[in-house]
Amino acid sequence: MELKEGFVSARPEMTFHLQTTHSARFLGLDLKPGLWNRTNYGSGIIIGVLDTGVSPAHPSFTGKGMSPPPSKWKGKCEFKLSHCNNKLIGARKKGGKPETPIDRDGHGTHTASTAAGGFVSNANVFGNAKGTAAGMAPGAHLAIYKVCSHNCIESDILAGMDAAIHDGVDIISISLGADPGVQLYKDGITVGALAAAKKGIFVSMAAGNSGPGYSTLSSEAPWVLTVGASTIDRKVLATAKLANGKTFEGESLFQPREFHSTTLPLVYAGMNKKPLSEFCGKGSLVGMNVKGKVVLCDRGLVDRLDIGKEVKNAGGAALILANGEQDGFSTLADPHVLPATHVSYAAGQKIKAYIKANKQARATILFKGTTLGDRTAPAVTSFSSRGPTMVCRGILKPDIMGPGVSILAAWPSRGTNKMKNPRFNIESGTSMSCPHLSGIAALLKHSHPTWSPAAIKSAIMTTADIQSRRGTTIIDQDDQPADLFAIGAGHVNPLKADDPGLIYDIHPAEYIGYLCSLGYTNKQVWIITRMSIKCKTQRKIPGGQLNYPSLSVTLGRSQTLIRTVTNVGQGNSSYYVKITPPIGVRVAVKPSELHFTKVGQNAKYAVTFIRTNETRLHQQFAQGYLLWVSAKHSVRSPISVQFG
């Protein structure tokens, strides 16, 4: 096999996982003047979406009023030609498979429309979250690469990436991921993403849905933007009300108008003592009298929607779904099959205590519809995967957070009147966060066509928000301040990203030195880069020394990192440094001021981390920030310190 022409390496294939629109307004894209106005909605930029295909008849993809794609476009439409247009400029099926790029799952249609769907009025799900749906870059073109059906096979993903690079896309959006801890040379997506970066293509990837535990990321490579999931300020409220008058706010997409407000008997399924009974697993309610009652079940080992089906099949009248401790306050608006509400862990504990203390416990659910203005947003959601990285030492991940909870977007329609009665769905996952950033990257690419993928990433990261709408630190699912392993640089702020002041740029050749620093063999580096490399003669670049927008060190006594910034703001400008030091670390920066006389000018600085006696006993991590501040700009880099 290794003698075959064109052979690089062979190994067992991996299976990848799907990391499953008020958000445009939440992000300020519709402000006037705003980024949509500045960039003509991302016109002329091509976003390649690798997913489960697309539903081409959905009005999100009509292309009405759009210009033809740029002349560089070389892609194909493997639908009937009538399905492709100036919005949906290309669609490819899985390599060699006897199928079309039609989306039979929904995931691909949702992610594609989130990235660049056109404006569709009166979008809603069950009458909730009503408004005009639009992607982040509604003027951008879409190229669809169907790489998943029931599973996402590595060879199909690699073929899709190769096709996207050949076809001439500007952005690649991949809401897929491998299991955590996979070496870069064993991850086909990572290999394909580096090939894209070399061609100047920006790659956005989902962080994964395996949180809230540490080191659960599915995409670590420094040449991709790794996106975690956050809440937006919209909720679809359903309140659990107990007979003692106490109420607990929750969420549900299904909002039955006819459900009575009088209380019903309330029981906790976990009292059954059967296996999986607390989670209302299949068959666990047999023999338990739940008919006509409100049933409390725990979130955990059983799919959330299947829990409702089990309660309904057993004769239950309604469901209260309570978080386990690890999910904390993170609730989701799901399309339950019966009246239901999803409440926090704290609420669930109080409801269980009420049931235990009252033999005649009773409750009901009050449905309050869609509300806007939750000032705790953006907050990290529990499922969003976290750092630190296991493979890519010296790189802080995720890079950024974006909206990923209860996101409304297009969904494959049924019936013959697909244009007149388009379907939408609300989904949650870093799969939803990823295309938000893909669309925002498209807007930035339109605004700054000469910027490299690393420059766009830098602009997104150094301008991110680290506070919620109420002006306090972004919180995690446990209602405590979120750490950098959850939020990375923070929550994306598109308007600020368009004018970052300074950027940290990286030439793709520098990644070779980084790969050699990981201890990879020449052959392993060859697999990743498709280049013959001798690491013994290569200048190694440890992760902390890569010109990354974040600063990540494993600290013994002291360590110095070097960074280079490029002025993309005002020609004549000066910046001074401002430090929020990590606990137990003294931070020294030289020089402490940077002066520029023209746009495009570079400046270097050294930042030294020195461990102090203030380090707490058993302290493993500490975090802080380094800011370069001018009269107009504030350029923030997160600092992550792991004590060695």
Side-chain angles (χ1 to χ4, degrees):
M1 179 86 162
E2 295 199 21
L3 297 177
K4 186 176 179 180
E5 184 178 355
F7 177 84
V8 176
S9 67
R11 56 180 168 76
E13 282 202 304
M14 289 191 296
T15 298
F16 290 77
H17 316 290
L18 295 168
Q19 306 289 16
T20 317
T21 60
H22 166 70
S23 50
R25 175 159 293 177
F26 179 71
L27 294 171
L29 292 174
D30 63 342
L31 294 174
K32 294 182 180 180
L35 200 50
W36 274 353
N37 295 120
R38 289 185 191 176
T39 63
N40 194 24
Y41 304 94
S43 64
I45 304 300
I46 304 170
I47 302 176
V49 180
L50 276 67
D51 214 296
T52 62
V54 72
S55 182
H58 198 284
S60 292
F61 310 116
T62 61
K64 184 178 180 181
M66 289 187 61
S67 300
S71 58
K72 69 172 184 173
W73 174 244
K74 296 182 287 188
K76 296 179 180 179
C77 179
E78 294 180 353
F79 286 127
K80 296 177 182 177
L81 285 178
S82 60
H83 285 331
C84 287
N85 51 52
N86 288 336
K87 165 61 74 178
L88 193 60
I89 61 172
R92 291 196 174 198
K93 62 189 178 185
K94 293 164 69 173
K97 304 297 192 299
E99 55 182 278
T100 71
I102 287 284
D103 181 14
R104 305 191 186 284
D105 176 275
H107 194 272
T109 298
H110 198 282
T111 57
S113 65
T114 299
F119 293 94
V120 182
S121 60
N122 200 34
N124 68 89
V125 182
F126 303 150
N128 297 304
K130 189 176 292 185
T132 298
M136 299 302 101
H141 306 287
L142 280 167
I144 305 301
Y145 300 87
K146 184 173 182 176
V147 297
C148 303
S149 293
H150 300 296
N151 290 313
C152 308
I153 305 302
E154 188 174 13
S155 57
D156 292 328
I157 298 170
L158 263 175
M161 295 189 79
D162 285 344
I165 294 168
H166 170 271
D167 291 348
V169 304
D170 300 294
I171 313 289
I172 291 179
S173 187
I174 312 178
S175 291
L176 317 168
D179 293 324
V182 175
Q183 292 293 335
L184 300 183
Y185 59 87
K186 292 183 177 180
D187 183 349
I189 294 181
T190 292
V191 172
L194 181 55
K198 288 179 184 177
K199 295 287 187 180
I201 299 169
F202 183 92
V203 181
S204 176
M205 290 185 63
N209 300 329
S210 301
Y214 285 122
S215 296
T216 49
L217 294 162
S218 63
S219 56
E220 296 188 8
W223 48 84
V224 305
L225 183 77
T226 304
V227 188
S230 62
T231 63
I232 57 175
D233 67 341
R234 180 182 64 201
K235 288 190 173 183
V236 187
L237 292 180
T239 300
K241 182 179 181 180
L242 308 183
N244 63 8
K246 291 185 177 180
T247 58
F248 303 93
E249 185 180 283
E251 295 188 78
S252 176
L253 190 55
F254 178 48
Q255 300 259 320
R257 295 178 181 177
E258 71 280 1
F259 190 70
H260 36 77
S261 59
T262 55
T263 60
L264 300 170
L266 171 66
V267 295
Y268 173 46
M271 297 173 67
N272 195 9
K273 302 299 183 184
K274 283 187 177 182
L276 296 181
S277 62
E278 67 268 39
F279 305 111
C280 294
K282 189 171 181 62
S284 65
L285 300 182
V286 174
M288 185 177 184
N289 181 17
V290 300
K291 189 171 183 180
K293 297 179 181 180
V294 179
V295 183
L296 174 66
C297 305
D298 292 331
R299 175 185 180 184
L301 300 180
V302 179
D303 179 82
R304 297 187 306 275
L305 298 184
D306 288 342
I307 289 173
K309 293 173 185 176
E310 192 66 23
V311 171
K312 184 177 182 180
N313 291 340
L319 164 68
I320 298 175
L321 178 62
N323 274 345
E325 186 172 6
Q326 72 168 7
D327 289 309
F329 288 85
S330 293
T331 58
L332 305 168
D334 285 322
H336 294 286
V337 297
L338 79 171
T341 182
H342 181 181
V343 300
S344 69
Y345 171 70
Q349 292 299 102
K350 291 174 182 177
I351 296 170
K352 288 175 187 176
Y354 166 74
I355 294 172
K356 189 174 182 180
N358 294 272
K359 292 183 178 180
Q360 302 298 320
R362 299 178 67 86
T364 189
I365 300 175
L366 308 177
F367 296 96
K368 300 183 177 181
T370 306
T371 65
L372 300 175
D374 179 9
R375 293 185 63 78
T376 65
V380 185
T381 189
S382 60
F383 59 73
S384 188
S385 290
R386 319 294 162 101
T389 56
M390 289 194 284
V391 174
C392 292
R393 298 189 297 272
I395 303 296
L396 175 64
K397 292 278 184 170
D399 294 306
I400 197 74
M401 286 200 311
V405 176
S406 301
I407 302 301
L408 183 145
W411 201 251
S413 300
R414 299 193 184 106
T416 55
N417 295 320
K418 295 180 181 180
M419 292 293 287
K420 292 183 179 179
N421 301 297
R423 286 183 77 201
F424 292 86
N425 199 9
I426 285 181
E427 291 278 290
S428 297
T430 55
S431 280
M432 285 66 247
S433 310
C434 171
H436 277 87
L437 271 295
S438 304
I440 291 165
L443 300 177
L444 297 177
K445 182 70 175 177
H446 180 281
S447 190
H448 306 279
T450 62
W451 279 9
S452 69
I456 293 173
K457 180 199 285 191
S458 174
I460 289 170
M461 291 174 64
T462 61
T463 59
D465 293 329
I466 59 173
Q467 292 187 330
S468 68
R469 291 295 192 264
R470 62 185 176 186
T472 56
T473 303
I474 290 173
I475 58 172
D476 213 329
Q477 77 287 337
D478 57 4
D479 203 29
Q480 298 299 311
D483 63 31
L484 297 181
F485 297 133
I487 68 171
H491 192 271
V492 62
N493 185 321
L495 195 57
K496 286 185 178 179
D498 192 43
D499 183 19
L502 305 175
I503 56 168
Y504 295 82
D505 208 352
I506 303 174
H507 191 280
E510 295 175 61
Y511 296 127
I512 297 170
Y514 173 68
L515 293 170
C516 288
S517 79
L518 294 178
Y520 287 157
T521 65
N522 294 337
K523 183 175 181 180
Q524 289 165 346
V525 175
W526 176 43
I527 291 170
I528 300 167
T529 64
R530 298 295 194 265
M531 296 171 65
S532 181
I533 300 296
K534 292 184 178 180
C535 280
K536 282 187 178 181
T537 60
Q538 185 76 31
R539 184 177 74 88
K540 294 182 176 61
I541 304 175
Q545 299 293 2
L546 199 62
N547 201 41
Y548 215 69
S550 55
L551 301 160
S552 180
V553 296
T554 299
L555 193 59
R557 290 309 309 168
S558 68
Q559 188 175 345
T560 298
L561 304 182
I562 307 296
R563 288 291 188 271
T564 301
V565 290
T566 303
N567 180 26
V568 294
Q570 296 165 306
N572 263 311
S573 54
S574 295
Y575 290 78
Y576 69 90
V577 74
K578 184 178 179 182
I579 300 292
T580 302
I583 293 173
V585 180
R586 183 164 64 87
V587 182
V589 179
K590 291 183 180 181
S592 59
E593 294 185 3
L594 302 175
H595 303 282
F596 300 93
T597 58
K598 60 182 179 180
V599 174
Q601 185 178 352
N602 292 337
K604 283 189 177 184
Y605 70 89
V607 53
T608 300
F609 303 94
I610 304 166
R611 190 168 183 170
T612 70
N613 294 328
E614 297 172 13
T615 307
R616 297 169 181 168
L617 186 65
H618 306 307
Q619 183 178 347
Q620 291 182 290
F621 304 103
Q623 64 183 48
Y625 292 97
L626 181 153
L627 288 86
W628 288 107
V629 182
S630 72
K632 186 179 179 183
H633 298 100
S634 181
V635 186
R636 183 191 300 108
S637 291
I639 299 171
S640 173
V641 176
Q642 182 173 350
F643 295 105

